[in-house]
Amino acid sequence: TEQTIRRFGIGYAPDSWDFLHSRLTAKGYTDEELKAAFLCGISQKGHPYDVFRNRVIFPIFDLNGEVVAFAGRRLNEKDERKYVNTSDTPAFKKSKVIFGMNFAKRSEAGSLIVCEGPIDAIALQQAGFDNACASMGTALTTEQIRLLSRYTKELILCYDNDNAGRIATQKALELLNDTDFSVRVLELPNRIVDGQPVKQDADDFIKNQGPDAFERLLSGSETGMDFRMARLAAGFDLTSD
């Protein structure tokens, strides 16, 4: 919605090699500063270029609502990389930031729903789950767990329902073992398309089944131990990368 676009500062990087570079150098920024901020790079021939091109841009906010990084989702599905994300910079360490925590920390739900990526967290927030946030595509880190502990003692892990998502969930559970968190796992069901099961993430589920169905899944989410036992019984490989 328009409100969500404005709230999360969602934008667009034009299909240009130097649109951002030209704008920012005109404001006085140097090539070295733009490279350090992971906004522009320098080619082997010494030419500057924009890192984000022809992509929807999702700003990454710190706890105070300041933009510290960006995630860029491709608009041309033929592009090799679905996402281009800011690498670590002087202002941003991926392992220490939780996307959407500047909003989720205000929730009165008493728990936090941790998803994989910004789009999942945005979709859940738009659907009314104001306690949704995202670890940005990776299993939780100790730094992120420390950050989450400042705001809740109850976590609901809602990663993608493919094997990579299950492995990330297992790794997160291992890190959370020796903490004071109460942890539940919400594993999304496959969607059936033309008689075939299709994996879903939180964004897919909200689009296709709606907020009420997600609320029912939340109510029935399993404990971390239940998740482990179910995966062992199903024979999933939760040790490989």
Side-chain angles (χ1 to χ4, degrees):
T1 65
E2 183 69 27
Q3 181 182 4
T4 296
I5 290 171
R6 292 184 179 279
R7 186 180 188 219
F8 286 92
I10 300 171
Y12 167 67
D15 190 8
S16 167
W17 285 95
D18 64 353
F19 177 87
L20 185 64
H21 179 266
S22 297
R23 287 295 188 92
L24 292 181
T25 52
K27 291 179 177 290
Y29 293 97
T30 67
D31 288 352
E32 290 74 19
E33 288 171 327
L34 298 180
K35 184 178 180 180
F38 201 77
L39 294 174
C40 299
I42 305 295
S43 71
Q44 292 182 346
K45 294 184 178 180
H47 301 305
Y49 62 88
D50 294 354
V51 170
F52 300 98
R53 303 183 302 276
N54 195 31
R55 292 178 179 271
V56 176
I57 301 297
F58 300 92
I60 309 298
F61 302 94
D62 65 13
L63 280 175
N64 297 319
E66 299 290 340
V67 177
V68 292
F70 299 94
R73 204 276 189 197
R74 68 187 177 194
L75 289 172
N76 182 354
E77 294 301 318
K78 294 181 180 179
D79 284 351
E80 182 178 352
R81 298 175 64 182
K82 183 175 182 179
Y83 280 96
V84 172
N85 300 318
T86 299
S87 295
D88 284 355
T89 71
F92 172 68
K93 295 293 182 288
K94 183 178 180 180
S95 63
K96 297 182 179 181
V97 174
I98 295 284
F99 177 84
M101 274 301 295
N102 56 312
F103 297 124
K105 69 179 183 179
R106 307 171 192 163
S107 173
E108 298 180 0
S111 62
L112 289 170
I113 304 170
V114 183
C115 312
E116 279 193 35
I119 293 180
D120 293 330
I122 290 171
L124 288 176
Q125 289 246 354
Q126 179 174 270
F129 302 94
D130 64 354
N131 57 335
C133 55
S135 57
M136 296 186 290
T138 61
L140 286 173
T141 65
T142 53
E143 294 95 338
Q144 289 171 328
I145 289 172
R146 198 174 299 121
L147 173 60
L148 291 166
S149 70
R150 293 165 56 182
Y151 299 99
T152 188
K153 291 300 179 184
E154 182 179 353
L155 295 181
I156 301 150
L157 303 179
C158 183
Y159 289 155
D160 293 0
N161 69 346
D162 54 11
N163 202 50
R166 295 184 186 103
I167 292 170
T169 300
Q170 176 68 14
K171 289 180 177 179
L173 289 173
E174 290 170 0
L175 279 178
L176 291 163
N177 261 345
D178 298 323
T179 68
D180 296 330
F181 282 106
S182 169
V183 185
R184 290 186 285 147
V185 177
L186 193 161
E187 190 169 11
L188 298 165
N190 284 326
R191 184 164 53 98
I192 304 301
V193 178
D194 297 328
Q196 299 297 319
V198 177
K199 84 174 189 73
Q200 295 190 101
D201 55 25
D203 178 46
D204 296 325
F205 189 90
I206 289 293
K207 286 177 181 175
N208 292 295
Q209 275 78 45
D212 290 343
F214 189 84
E215 183 65 56
R216 289 193 292 271
L217 281 182
L218 269 180
S219 300
S221 55
E222 57 192 359
T223 67
M225 180 58 72
D226 291 336
F227 173 85
R228 290 191 185 96
M229 296 303 293
R231 298 289 70 74
L232 288 171
F236 285 112
D237 179 8
L238 293 177
T239 59
S240 67
D241 291 326

